[in-house]
Each structure stands twice: as structure tokens, then as C-alpha cells.
Amino acid sequence: MRHTPHFLMTDVDEVRRLIDGHPWATIVSHTAAGLVASHYPFLLEAPGPDDDPDQIVLVSHVGRPDEVAHELGQHEVLVVFQGPHGYVSPAWYPPEQFVPTWNHVTAHCWGTPEILSDDENFRVLGELVDHFERVMPEPVSLQVDEDTARRTAKGTVGIRIRVARFDARAKLSQNKAPEVVERIVAGLRGDGPYASPALADAVERAQVARTVGWEAS
């Protein structure tokens, strides 16, 4: 990721918040055959008794072809989480500030995947379904037909990644004056081509964080 130390996001809880809110991620592996990338949803798991309580632990699954393609368990992988992002127009800046930018919240997480047992994999698959179904009017569970669900699960491989290190950025116009940030937020909340309420929320949170000392810039 581009070296922008003034936008570093070092708070583990903020990184967890990003992952929880934006679980669809990209897995990148440097294999004997070259670079391989795949896309899967991840859940946060509570650290185990032997883990650092501040460690980020990820669980997910991949299709069996991807297990081989990524050489999972043999080396470190990179998992990329992308939060709210979008174009920031200089139309929202004072006239003398005419260079646009792209605001974003991004986290790169590295770790070596642990292959889960069939039972653990099925548990994680069930938790993934329950996590996303919880907002539905009538949530569906794998327990509707566990036998069929278990047969389907055999085509997947569960993984756990204890994140060894992360590099996260919250580039959210922290380098702009408060009155300019207000105009940016108004533009993002408007009805123009670059409207993005989620990004507006993130910019506002970053501004609040600046006033209370959160190290996001």
C-alpha cells in the first residue's frame, strides 16, 4: 500500500470494525505458479486462550480448487479488506484547491492459513450463513437440512488466519480544514454522481476521531 503515515489506522478495534462491516475480501497468494487471487467473505473470530487478545483472527472457506491453487497452509497470504471509498471532487474545495483525490478505508492483513477440520469448517459455514441471514425477516439456517448442507460443505475447505501483521489506512480528508470537510460531507450526501453516504459517514467519524485523539492521521 502507498506509504502515507499520516493516514495510518493503527487501532485494532477500528480494523476489526472495518472487517466486520465489509467482510468481502481478496485473498492473494504468491505460489510456485505465480500470484493467485480469490474472493471470499470472512468473519472475525475471538482470539483463542493462547492468542494475544489484540490479535485479529479471521475465518472463512474456499472452494477445493482454490485450496490447491493458493497452496493454502504452506505459506503466508495477504487478505485485503476494502471499506467505503470514492472520488472527492475539487468542486467541494475552495477555488485555490483544485486537485481531486480518492478517499478510502483499506486494510491489508497477512497470515498463514490453518486448514480446519470438516466439523470446524461446517461450523464456520453455519456461522457465515447466520451472520448474513440475521437481518432477513425470516432467517434461513443450514440446520433446515443439515444432511444436504454437510454434503455441499464437502466441496469447501475451511481456513483460519491469525493475522501476524496488518497495514491499514483511513484516508478521509483529515488533511483538510473543518469547513472544507463539511463541504465534502455535504457533497457525498448529495444526489450528484459521486454521492456516497457510507463514505460521508466514514469522513465524519474520522473528523470526530481527530478531536478525541484517535490515531487515524
Side-chain angles (χ1 to χ4, degrees):
M1 203 183 308
R2 179 186 173 193
H3 184 63
T4 51
H6 44 297
F7 296 130
L8 271 175
M9 186 164 64
T10 59
D11 189 317
V12 173
D13 287 337
E14 286 297 318
V15 177
R16 287 194 180 112
R17 185 178 183 277
L18 165 62
I19 294 168
D20 187 58
H22 303 272
W24 184 248
T26 301
I27 310 172
V28 182
S29 299
H30 188 187
T31 72
L35 290 175
V36 178
S38 300
H39 312 274
Y40 289 95
F42 280 82
L43 290 182
L44 290 164
E45 185 175 71
D50 298 327
D51 294 329
D52 181 337
D54 287 333
Q55 184 170 43
I56 296 171
V57 183
L58 308 171
V59 289
S60 187
H61 70 285
V62 301
R64 288 200 177 273
D66 274 349
E67 176 198 16
V68 175
H70 282 269
E71 302 172 346
L72 291 179
Q74 299 180 38
H75 50 67
E76 194 173 59
V77 300
L78 166 64
V79 185
V80 180
F81 293 93
Q82 180 71 67
H85 64 91
Y87 180 75
V88 177
S89 170
W92 303 331
Y93 295 167
E96 68 276 9
Q97 297 178 25
F98 55 87
V99 178
T101 193
W102 198 280
N103 276 355
H104 65 94
V105 186
T106 309
H108 291 182
C109 300
W110 287 267
T112 301
E114 166 195 342
I115 305 300
L116 303 183
S117 67
D118 289 346
D119 284 343
E120 277 194 296
N121 180 39
F122 188 72
R123 174 183 59 79
V124 168
L125 288 170
E127 290 174 355
L128 276 162
V129 173
D130 292 345
H131 177 81
F132 294 109
E133 281 291 318
R134 63 187 176 178
V135 297
M136 295 298 291
E138 296 182 13
V140 177
S141 167
L142 294 185
Q143 301 305 315
V144 169
D145 185 347
E146 184 174 337
D147 289 342
T148 298
R150 284 187 177 275
R151 286 195 297 272
T152 303
K154 290 180 179 179
T156 68
V157 176
I159 57 173
R160 176 182 291 113
I161 301 174
R162 291 181 170 86
V163 175
R165 67 190 189 282
F166 67 80
D167 182 6
R169 298 288 190 279
K171 180 181 178 296
L172 297 167
S173 299
Q174 299 98 321
N175 57 337
K176 296 296 182 181
E179 61 272 17
V180 177
V181 173
E182 288 182 6
R183 293 177 59 178
I184 293 169
V185 170
L188 292 170
R189 293 202 187 283
D191 57 2
Y194 298 113
S196 175
L199 184 56
D201 290 344
V203 171
E204 286 187 328
R205 287 190 73 252
Q207 289 304 111
V208 171
R210 287 175 68 185
T211 66
V212 298
W214 171 52
E215 189 178 358
S217 61

